[in-house]
Amino acid sequence: MDSQTQIGIADMQCWVIRKAQEKWNMTPRECVKIFRQYNLLEFISECYELLHVSSYQHALEDIEDILKRNGVVL
């Protein structure tokens, strides 16, 4: 993986966490706890090639779908 891709992944991970905090009305700590518990940063990393061609908003929607399937109420 080249450095540009790594930067893109990190950027997307940060953006999605920030937007999730705002949308879910959570503290950064609460949000990161959920992302870690459900391996969502890894999901973004593994699916980056597909996620980055749509939008960061779409990536957040995908994450919300994953959480809902796991019984998480936001």
Side-chain angles (χ1 to χ4, degrees):
M1 179 181 321
D2 66 25
S3 62
Q4 283 300 105
T5 301
Q6 290 174 334
I7 291 169
I9 290 168
D11 182 61
M12 179 175 277
Q13 290 169 333
C14 291
W15 186 93
V16 172
I17 288 174
R18 280 195 316 270
K19 288 300 177 184
Q21 289 170 8
E22 292 172 12
K23 187 173 181 182
W24 304 342
N25 196 32
M26 291 183 174
T27 66
R29 185 172 293 212
E30 292 168 326
C31 197
V32 168
K33 182 178 177 181
I34 288 173
F35 270 69
R36 285 185 179 155
Q37 183 176 355
Y38 293 95
N39 296 317
L40 298 173
L41 295 176
E42 185 177 322
F43 166 76
I44 292 171
S45 180
E46 289 177 5
C47 298
Y48 176 74
E49 292 301 322
L50 295 173
L51 293 172
H52 88 282
V53 294
S54 55
S55 69
Y56 287 0
Q57 182 61 39
H58 185 75
L60 179 56
E61 291 168 4
D62 287 348
I63 284 172
E64 290 174 330
D65 288 341
I66 291 168
L67 292 172
K68 286 176 187 173
R69 281 182 284 184
N70 281 284
V72 178
V73 178
L74 301 170

